[in-house]
Amino acid sequence: AQKITQTQPGMFVQEKEAVTLDCTYDTSDPSYGLFWYKQPSSGEMIFLIYQGSYDQQNATEGRYSLNFQKARKSANLVISASQLGDSAMYFCAPGGGGNTPLVFGKGTRLSVIA
Amino acid sequence: NAGVMQNPRHLVRRRGQEARLRCSPMKGHSHVYWYRQLPEEGLKFMVYLQKENIIDESGMPKERFSAEFPKEGPSILRIQQVVRGDSAAYFCASSPTVETQYFGPGTRLLVL
């Protein structure tokens, strides 16, 4: 079974600053992926970034990057140059290999301040 | 390439009625997942289907809930005799053979 911990229920960041959203997980799967999704107030779930457990480099996708520390079982999301439109809930979710369901954390609510 | 489609976006039912939620996966995706989100919580897995097969239903309540993904047409999540506790957002996600799941906009079910 997989367990996810997002310790920050809410975060504030100044516009144009960088912010790190924490995620730790516990899994017994030898191979897995880490996903981050954004859920704005409109409610849809938007895929942001993916990290494979055997990937040698940290994943990056535009302003999003993952600080993946496999030994510590953490996959923190870093958002650089925050924008007002980044205000949303952010969910971390590990998934096992081969189309297995995702297990979501409780999320972190990010508020970007002008 | 259209994204994952869900309808209706909002559904209101009275206690005891049936709710039918539809999900059309992205073109070329043969894997469909249903998740439920209660207010202020993360998504919880319900069921994983491929065409005409239920692969994993470990997250489905044992009674009143069923899901199908027929050879033709959308995947259907069916809730019989709805109760107030069924009020939630229900999300469908689809994936091809790789792992990333793409979510639909969700159906908000309100049971009066």
Side-chain angles (χ1 to χ4, degrees), chain A residues 37 39 43 50 97 99-100 102, chain B residues 33 35 37 95 99 101 108:
Chain A
Y37 288 84
Q39 187 176 40
Y50 164 80
N99 300 103
T100 55
L102 299 174
Chain B
Y33 308 79
Y35 294 83
Q37 185 180 32
S95 67
E99 294 176 350
Q101 295 177 22
R108 272 88 186 153

Side-chain angles (χ1 to χ4, degrees), chain A residues 54-72:
Chain A
Y54 285 100
D55 292 343
Q56 294 297 315
Q57 295 189 339
N58 287 341
T60 61
E61 193 71 48
R63 294 186 299 110
Y64 304 108
S65 61
L66 274 179
N67 180 3
F68 180 52
Q69 299 184 47
K70 188 174 180 179
R72 298 179 61 182

Side-chain angles (χ1 to χ4, degrees), chain B residues 28-58:
Chain B
H29 290 192
S30 58
H31 305 266
V32 166
Y33 308 79
W34 285 94
Y35 294 83
R36 177 165 62 178
Q37 185 180 32
L38 296 173
E40 304 301 320
E41 293 194 9
L43 279 68
K44 295 286 194 297
F45 166 73
M46 299 181 75
V47 62
Y48 162 37
L49 310 103
Q50 295 181 21
K51 285 284 187 182
E52 300 184 279
N53 285 305
I54 296 175
I55 308 301
D56 181 352
E57 56 181 348
S58 58

Side-chain angles (χ1 to χ4, degrees), chain A:
Chain A
Q2 294 167 332
K3 182 181 176 182
I4 305 303
T5 303
Q6 293 184 255
T7 58
Q8 308 148 314
M11 289 280 286
F12 289 89
V13 65
Q14 199 77 34
E15 195 178 8
K16 300 180 184 178
E17 297 290 316
V19 63
T20 298
L21 306 183
D22 295 341
C23 172
T24 57
Y25 58 91
D26 189 11
T27 179
S28 56
D29 291 330
S31 176
Y32 54 90
L34 275 304
F35 299 81
W36 277 90
Y37 288 84
K38 171 185 178 181
Q39 187 176 40
S41 57
S42 52
E44 69 268 34
M45 292 289 286
I46 302 168
F47 166 70
L48 294 179
I49 194 167
Y50 164 80
Q51 175 86 46
S53 60
Y54 285 100
D55 292 343
Q56 294 297 315
Q57 295 189 339
N58 287 341
T60 61
E61 193 71 48
R63 294 186 299 110
Y64 304 108
S65 61
L66 274 179
N67 180 3
F68 180 52
Q69 299 184 47
K70 188 174 180 179
R72 298 179 61 182
K73 294 188 175 179
S74 75
N76 299 338
L77 176 70
V78 180
I79 306 175
S80 62
S82 297
Q83 302 172 356
L84 294 177
D86 294 335
S87 294
M89 284 290 289
Y90 288 80
F91 293 97
C92 170
N99 300 103
T100 55
L102 299 174
V103 179
F104 285 86
K106 290 185 179 294
T108 295
R109 184 176 298 279
L110 177 66
S111 299
V112 180
I113 305 166

